[in-house]
Amino acid sequence: MDPGNYLHYGCQDPIEVCQELASMTKMVRAGDVEPVSESEVVSEFKETGQFHLWRATQFGEGVINQAACYKHLAEGGYDGFVSLKTAGSSPEGPLAAIRQSWKALSDLLQRIG
């Protein structure tokens, strides 16, 4: 289960997907995304032919309602491990992004139980 992928690749509501698939989930990858501006999408498409509506961001700082997703997973019986898929980026560098994302994920999991 990767809530961000459902939004990023399928434009599906991550909360609905987590609720629907919670009882079948065997593994969770934590990540978050933010929208790419229309001008950036157009520019990248003109330059490279690639079409990206979303980009990775630090866990808990994107548009995914992480609390709702993980609450549904827990209510559906998921009690396994969670891996940090991507930490996004930070002006302080990649290690700071990892630390910030890991802290946000750990805090969320503690609140969910």
Side-chain angles (χ1 to χ4, degrees):
M1 166 67 67
D2 184 336
N5 277 358
Y6 293 101
L7 179 61
H8 188 274
Y9 296 109
C11 296
Q12 294 175 285
D13 182 342
I15 297 169
E16 290 177 6
V17 175
C18 286
Q19 189 173 24
E20 182 179 337
L21 300 179
S23 66
M24 297 177 271
T25 298
K26 304 298 182 209
M27 173 186 144
V28 175
R29 290 186 346 167
D32 214 337
V33 296
E34 63 184 3
V36 176
S37 72
E38 184 176 333
S39 62
E40 289 175 289
V41 171
V42 171
S43 176
E44 181 183 29
F45 186 74
K46 284 180 180 178
E47 290 177 26
T48 67
Q50 295 181 350
F51 185 75
H52 295 119
L53 298 176
W54 306 96
R55 82 172 123 246
T57 190
Q58 291 179 21
F59 184 86
E61 295 195 7
V63 297
I64 297 171
N65 183 337
Q66 302 289 353
C69 288
Y70 285 84
K71 181 178 177 236
H72 285 305
L73 290 169
E75 288 172 353
Y78 186 74
D79 189 27
F81 68 92
V82 178
S83 67
L84 185 58
K85 174 183 176 181
T86 180
S89 62
S90 170
E92 294 86 35
L95 188 55
I98 292 169
R99 287 183 176 134
Q100 292 164 1
S101 290
W102 180 251
K103 180 172 179 3
L105 175 59
S106 296
D107 290 349
L108 174 64
L109 295 176
Q110 287 292 324
R111 286 194 311 272
I112 299 292

